[in-house]
Amino acid sequence: MPVKRVGGQCKPNRDNWLNSPPKRRGVARYSHSEGAVARLTAKQGGTADFPSLGVRDVFFMMGESAIDMQTDSETLVRPQRPDRYDVKAVESRWQIEWERQHLYTVGSAKDLPKFYCLEQFPYPSGHLHMGHVRVYTLGDVVARYRRMNGYRVLHPMGWDAFGLPAENAAIKSGVAPRVSTMANIAYMKTQMRQMGLSFDWACEVTTSEPDYYRFTQELFLMFYERGLAYRKAGPVNWCPSCETVLANEQVEDGVCWRCEAPVTKRDLTQWYFKITDYAERLLQDLDGLDWPQDIVTQQRNWIGKSTGAEVVFKVPATQDAITVFTTRPDTLFGATYVVLAPEHPLVTRLIAGLPSEQAVNDFVARERVISDIERTAETSEKRGIFTGAYAVHPLTGAQVPIWVGNYVLADYGTGAVMGVPSHDERDFRFARQYHLPMVTVVRPPGQGGGDLEAPTEAYTGAGILVGSGEFSGLDSEAAKAAIAGRLQDKGLGGPRITYRMRDWLISRQRYWGAPIPIVHCPQCGIVPVPVSELPVRLPDEATFTGRGESPLAQDEQWVCTTCPHCGGAARRETDTMDTFVDSSWYYYRYTSSDSDRPFDARQVRYWMPVDEYVGGKEHAVLHLLYSRFFTKVLYDVGWVPTAEPFQRLLPQGMVVYRGKKMSKSKGNTLSPESIMNDWGADATRVFMLFAAPPEKDFEWKEAGVEGAYRFLQRVYRLAVRDLEPEDGKRAEADPIVRRLTARTAYKVSEDVNRRSFNTAVSALMELTNGLYQHWSDLSLEVRRQGLETLVVLLAPFAPHLADELWHELGHQESVHREPWPGYDAKLLVDPEVEVAVQINGKVRFKMTVSAELDADGLGAQALADSRMAHYVEDRQLVKLVAVPGRLVNVVVR
């Protein structure tokens, strides 16, 4: 039966042609029946007979060396493989095939253990960069590995689509944020498919779509009902470039985390989430997480728990009180002044009508525009001004001058500090600069008595109290408790625990965000929008100027509404929510993205918590802290089963190019699709995994990805070799390669489990080298076992090539449905080991012995070694110590 060429491909004219599509151009799959004998006729002449080995798949390629094969039962074509594979054709074909098979859709087999693998979803503000490629490759390896190990894996992807970039693009180009966002999503999804990522796209979410942000708004209302969402006026971080408010966590080194413009202060009425109510739980629950220690430390430091005392200084002139917090109440008798932050609300009242009023107002105006980082830096000048007002010391009754100082922040602590210059370095410098009194009240341990001289530097350690009334003679620790107790008895303070973390400011003066579902009614005040009326939709059109109020505030048609309570005229809240609100719960939505509730409780109980969360270290405080807070609130209301969202965290370092982090602003980015077009997605993935451990930064080098490409081509050439050994060849290397194959399976498994992907790739390279080295001395069985193990182990790292080779080896199912290779533990142990033989403490020779040799046998073999005689001749054996597998020590004299 002749082979016919159809449409540039080869297709046997048979009814039992397998209906699966060809695996590559010019390649077809055909089953040939048992007992058939194929006769090969090459174009160049010559024939050969090939007896069938049974029902199996045969792959063939037509080209310049095309051949016809006549059999007594069918037509067959024998492979004529090139020495390298067409990367683009292979990868494109398998991407299409995986989608056709819905290979990565979550199955329904709930009897399998679950594994929720999640990578942080991207802002669709442009195109993916190499940093995205790295994080998604890391997560993809984990997801593929878990599937092959028998887990039911949820591996979703979506889009953190709200935010400033889309709105800024609208200001520059006039393209509406939704239009540019959806176009970017389409492009980025194409990039992800080109990378061969095993996402289940049926779970996809987009936070800027009404069917998502309606539930973000519902969660806001739930927070509001529980007293966790509130509105207040006060100084806030303001980015003059983005023209929006920033949370404290979004100010990095005094500049905006997004645009790097210097951040200033502005008084505004804003919405907050009361994250401080959860400070202690957020701190304590870090202990149960499988997170890198540096991430845990960053969160601990940000939460910033401090134990000490609250101290109240009354101000008789205005009938006010200034509250300060101190971790050193034992130094209270050394307080000689009080300092307020420039933004402190008491400043205006304290100076009203005083001669210092204008000077203080001028000082406050100057200092408020300077960033918090600048004001509090160790190298910054500590500036201040006396208000002209006095407070009363709570225990001595002495008058204490009230100052305003630039180093005190309104949103840190109480916005006021007591100055104890003898026992605080910052206070010491401030007091010396402004000639304020210094009083020593803590003497270092072991220092004798006598008159106390004016200090030449601050003593900040613990010691024995002096000059502290009835508390003199106590050590610092005892004094802390005693003085805090006395303050509590007098109603002027007492023991207190505080946290550095402030409440989460969520208001943004922007259009492209989830509208806050609140109505302001002249009669009823603040009124929440009923859940039944959600979503409060963004208007389809808006005017973007980049200046002044939010575009929403300028849309009177959208702003004007009716009060849900009284039905009267009212106005909508025009602030939108911080985009970190959207990303604080998206991982729940993935579990049931088609639900008519925020998420299906049954699915959340099954899938949560996330088993592995992959993302950048830059989110150690922002996103991770907010997500933990959200989860604890949802846990408290009974919506979710666990109090933590992410059990294990896999952070990754940056991709560096030409010595700097890849960044559009630095002009040193590389196009992922360009790299993949040149070298292939598999080579790009393998290089990123091999170049450095996940948590480390690594330098992008063209030579590195080229090396990965060459390695994969080498694997391909090995896998398409003829498996049949040459006649007369002995399988002398079978034991060596069996052990190497088992050890590679063990090592790759262990390395992936501990996320050491670079050493896993190295092990695959070693197995490839071993197969090449011993190929001619291997049996058919060991060749096949070694090749198939290599291909299956390679599958999470280079998924396209692995599937290609798996089919080349005669398998019909995808390699990604294969179970992960096991191994014989006995093969992990060398049958022979080398041991050192010491004589009188010096190594004299080494010998190779059986690994199973016990101490007696090892000692006997050492004594019987011909080399031993030279050292023990005419000497007396005093002692022999044999350590199996390691050494023999002989003592003679």
Side-chain angles (χ1 to χ4, degrees):
M1 186 180 301
V3 174
K4 296 182 179 180
R5 182 178 288 277
V6 180
Q9 296 189 10
C10 298
K11 190 172 182 181
N13 184 15
R14 285 187 55 86
D15 293 336
N16 67 344
W17 168 253
L18 298 182
N19 292 320
S20 58
K23 299 302 173 189
R24 59 174 177 254
R25 180 175 174 81
V27 179
R29 186 166 62 184
Y30 188 67
S31 181
H32 118 241
S33 60
E34 188 171 354
V37 177
R39 170 150 292 189
L40 177 81
T41 305
K43 282 186 173 180
Q44 295 81 2
T47 63
D49 290 338
F50 293 87
S52 171
L53 298 178
V55 178
R56 60 189 177 90
D57 288 340
V58 177
F59 294 82
F60 61 91
M61 179 175 290
M62 295 296 290
E64 289 302 313
S65 60
I67 50 179
D68 290 343
M69 178 176 268
Q70 300 290 336
T71 76
D72 58 356
S73 62
E74 59 188 277
T75 298
L76 201 60
V77 177
R78 184 165 176 78
Q80 292 281 311
R81 301 182 180 93
D83 63 355
R84 65 179 57 230
Y85 72 102
D86 183 338
V87 172
K88 292 177 67 174
V90 166
E91 292 184 350
S92 176
R93 180 171 60 256
W94 284 110
Q95 290 157 18
I96 293 170
E97 182 65 10
W98 295 335
E99 288 198 24
R100 189 188 71 81
Q101 294 183 27
H102 303 288
L103 191 64
Y104 306 120
T105 301
V106 176
S108 58
K110 292 193 175 182
D111 55 323
L112 299 176
K114 71 92 177 176
F115 192 86
Y116 188 172
C117 181
L118 181 64
E119 296 100 286
Q120 293 170 358
F121 61 173
Y123 293 109
S125 57
H127 299 164
L128 295 179
H129 53 68
M130 297 309 293
H132 290 115
V133 175
R134 189 182 193 197
V135 67
Y136 299 140
T137 297
L138 292 171
D140 196 56
V141 171
V142 173
R144 290 180 180 277
Y145 172 75
R146 289 292 178 176
R147 285 193 198 94
M148 297 174 79
N149 274 278
Y151 286 81
R152 184 174 182 236
V153 174
L154 177 61
H155 188 211
M157 181 45 62
W159 314 98
D160 194 6
F162 274 140
L164 288 174
E167 193 160 340
N168 289 339
I171 294 168
K172 292 178 181 178
S173 64
V175 178
R178 188 176 189 278
V179 172
S180 63
T181 296
M182 299 310 290
N184 288 335
I185 286 173
Y187 192 92
M188 293 170 82
K189 190 182 291 189
T190 300
Q191 290 179 292
M192 289 180 174
R193 284 176 168 142
Q194 187 180 3
M195 291 165 58
L197 301 173
S198 61
F199 293 135
D200 182 356
W201 289 106
C203 304
E204 182 180 8
V205 301
T206 303
T207 62
S208 60
E209 291 298 282
D211 63 0
Y212 183 92
Y213 70 73
R214 64 173 288 195
F215 298 121
T216 301
Q217 293 172 339
E218 183 175 341
L219 292 173
F220 174 92
L221 294 177
M222 184 266 285
F223 277 52
Y224 182 76
E225 290 167 3
R226 294 179 64 83
L228 294 172
Y230 68 95
R231 194 168 181 253
K232 73 171 184 178
V236 296
N237 301 309
W238 178 260
C239 175
S241 175
C242 297
E243 293 201 329
T244 193
V245 168
L246 302 175
N248 290 334
E249 295 87 345
Q250 292 169 323
V251 180
E252 299 175 352
D253 296 328
V255 301
C256 172
W257 75 291
R258 173 73 70 183
C259 71
E260 299 185 353
V263 173
T264 61
K265 292 287 186 179
R266 177 177 286 193
D267 288 325
L268 289 174
T269 299
Q270 305 283 289
W271 285 94
Y272 295 80
F273 279 157
K274 207 167 186 182
I275 192 173
T276 52
D277 277 10
Y278 284 78
E280 186 62 25
R281 287 171 62 186
L282 288 167
L283 190 64
Q284 295 299 324
D285 289 354
L286 286 169
D287 293 335
L289 299 178
D290 184 8
W291 287 19
Q293 193 55 47
D294 60 333
I295 303 293
V296 171
T297 299
Q298 286 184 65
Q299 290 220 356
R300 287 193 191 281
N301 292 342
W302 186 260
I303 296 168
K305 182 177 181 179
S306 296
T307 301
E310 189 174 80
V311 184
V312 177
F313 292 81
K314 290 191 173 181
V315 185
T318 61
Q319 300 301 303
D320 287 307
I322 298 171
T323 301
V324 304
F325 172 81
T326 177
T327 59
R328 295 292 305 272
D330 55 317
T331 66
L332 179 56
F333 282 80
T336 58
Y337 60 94
V338 173
V339 186
L340 304 180
E343 303 86 357
H344 199 291
L346 276 182
V347 172
T348 303
R349 289 209 299 276
L350 291 175
I351 63 175
L354 296 179
S356 60
E357 183 174 9
Q358 186 59 52
V360 173
N361 281 332
D362 291 344
F363 175 85
V364 168
R366 287 194 304 272
E367 297 298 334
R368 289 191 58 167
V369 299
I370 301 173
S371 72
D372 291 353
I373 296 294
E374 278 189 77
R375 283 166 50 180
T376 57
E378 282 295 319
T379 57
S380 296
E381 179 189 0
K382 302 299 179 277
R383 296 181 294 273
I385 188 169
F386 178 44
T387 63
Y390 291 87
V392 175
H393 192 288
L395 295 185
T396 68
Q399 279 198 327
V400 177
I402 303 171
W403 284 65
V404 176
N406 69 336
Y407 64 91
V408 183
L409 305 179
D411 56 0
Y412 185 75
T414 65
V417 299
M418 64 180 194
V420 186
S422 293
H423 303 291
D424 182 276
E425 292 177 356
R426 183 187 56 187
D427 294 346
F428 179 84
R429 292 194 299 270
F430 188 83
R432 189 166 60 179
Q433 181 175 347
Y434 292 103
H435 308 292
L436 296 170
M438 302 183 190
V439 177
T440 298
V441 293
V442 177
R443 193 193 300 273
Q447 190 178 85
D451 296 335
L452 295 171
E453 299 179 358
T456 56
E457 61 181 2
Y459 173 68
T460 59
I464 304 301
L465 266 64
V466 295
S468 299
E470 63 187 283
F471 305 103
S472 294
L474 293 178
D475 65 72
S476 289
E477 288 305 309
K480 287 177 182 179
I483 291 175
R486 179 57 53 85
L487 290 169
Q488 188 170 31
D489 293 342
K490 294 175 62 101
L492 295 173
R496 176 85 183 274
I497 294 174
T498 66
Y499 301 90
R500 175 180 180 268
M501 180 175 66
R502 303 290 90 196
D503 281 341
W504 176 10
L505 193 160
I506 67 161
S507 286
R508 297 295 179 270
Q509 291 67 49
R510 286 295 190 182
Y511 163 83
W512 195 234
I516 294 175
I518 290 292
V519 166
H520 299 279
C521 174
Q523 301 300 320
C524 307
I526 294 175
V527 182
V529 175
V531 171
S532 61
E533 295 181 16
L534 299 179
V536 176
R537 298 178 68 107
L538 289 169
D540 293 332
E541 297 182 1
T543 302
F544 299 97
T545 65
R547 298 289 180 269
E549 291 183 297
S550 160
L552 293 178
Q554 302 168 29
D555 188 341
E556 283 295 312
Q557 186 175 355
W558 184 85
V559 171
C560 295
T561 186
T562 56
C563 174
H565 188 262
C566 70
R571 296 179 68 82
R572 294 193 187 281
E573 173 62 62
T574 59
D575 284 353
T576 54
M577 287 185 243
D578 180 8
T579 57
F580 282 104
V581 178
D582 308 315
S583 60
S584 291
W585 72 279
Y586 76 107
Y587 40 90
Y588 289 111
R589 185 66 180 168
Y590 277 147
T591 67
S592 44
S593 58
D594 58 351
S595 176
D596 60 359
R597 299 294 304 129
F599 40 81
D600 185 315
R602 293 170 301 174
Q603 294 297 323
V604 166
R605 280 196 299 272
Y606 175 81
W607 285 111
M608 292 298 293
V610 172
D611 295 284
E612 184 112 25
Y613 197 28
V614 187
K617 290 184 177 181
E618 66 271 19
H619 296 297
V621 171
L622 290 167
H623 166 60
L624 293 176
L625 187 65
Y626 294 155
S627 295
R628 296 182 62 224
F629 165 54
F630 253 69
T631 293
K632 293 184 186 307
V633 175
L634 294 172
Y635 177 77
D636 287 352
V637 298
W639 287 17
V640 301
T642 60
E644 287 289 339
F646 315 124
Q647 185 58 35
R648 183 172 184 175
L649 190 66
L650 176 59
Q652 95 285 348
M654 298 183 297
V655 180
V656 178
Y657 185 50
R658 295 174 180 170
K660 297 179 181 178
K661 174 186 175 182
M662 280 194 184
S663 167
K664 291 179 182 177
S665 63
K666 294 181 175 65
N668 67 339
T669 58
L670 292 173
S671 163
E673 55 268 43
S674 174
I675 299 295
M676 289 187 283
N677 285 336
D678 288 344
W679 302 108
D682 283 349
T684 305
R685 291 165 60 111
V686 168
F687 169 58
M688 286 201 150
L689 295 164
F690 181 65
E695 70 278 6
K696 302 294 185 183
D697 297 347
F698 85 92
E699 179 83 22
W700 177 268
K701 294 180 180 178
E702 190 84 356
V705 71
E706 183 181 356
Y709 170 84
R710 288 199 304 269
F711 162 63
L712 295 180
Q713 291 290 355
R714 195 161 182 257
V715 172
Y716 171 79
R717 289 192 295 274
L718 177 66
V720 299
R721 284 184 168 191
D722 286 333
L723 290 174
E724 289 286 356
E726 298 175 28
D727 291 341
K729 277 286 185 181
R730 298 171 59 189
E732 296 176 347
D734 277 11
I736 297 172
V737 173
R738 284 186 194 278
R739 286 196 299 274
L740 177 61
T741 302
R743 290 174 179 180
T744 304
Y746 169 77
K747 179 165 178 53
V748 173
S749 302
E750 290 295 301
D751 287 347
V752 174
N753 282 330
R754 61 191 180 92
R755 306 305 181 251
S756 182
F757 303 117
N758 56 322
T759 55
V761 173
S762 180
L764 294 174
M765 292 176 175
E766 291 176 14
L767 177 56
T768 303
N769 291 339
L771 288 169
Y772 267 105
Q773 178 183 351
H774 299 291
W775 187 263
S776 61
D777 297 320
L778 296 176
S779 66
L780 171 63
E781 178 189 359
V782 174
R783 285 182 178 181
R784 177 169 286 279
Q785 180 195 28
L787 275 177
E788 292 191 344
T789 301
L790 173 62
V791 171
V792 176
L793 293 175
L794 185 66
F797 304 89
H800 308 89
L801 178 60
D803 235 343
E804 180 78 2
L805 296 181
W806 193 242
H807 283 71
E808 288 279 7
L809 291 170
H811 299 279
Q812 296 192 34
E813 281 288 347
S814 170
V815 71
H816 303 293
R817 296 191 192 278
E818 283 297 304
W820 191 251
Y823 48 85
D824 184 346
K826 294 179 181 177
L827 294 176
L828 302 181
V829 180
D830 281 317
E832 294 182 327
V833 293
E834 187 177 65
V835 298
V837 178
Q838 295 178 339
I839 299 175
N840 291 341
K842 291 185 178 182
V843 176
R844 296 301 185 180
F845 61 90
K846 295 180 179 179
M847 61 182 188
T848 301
V849 300
S850 169
E852 297 180 357
L853 206 59
D854 62 13
D856 290 340
L858 180 59
Q861 188 163 331
L863 291 175
D865 193 286
S866 60
R867 292 167 290 183
M868 180 67 75
H870 173 72
Y871 297 103
V872 300
E873 189 177 7
D874 299 328
R875 295 186 183 186
Q876 180 183 355
L877 177 65
V878 177
K879 187 177 183 181
L880 185 149
V881 177
V883 181
R886 295 183 59 190
L887 62 85
V888 176
N889 187 31
V890 178
V891 180
V892 296
R893 66 182 179 193

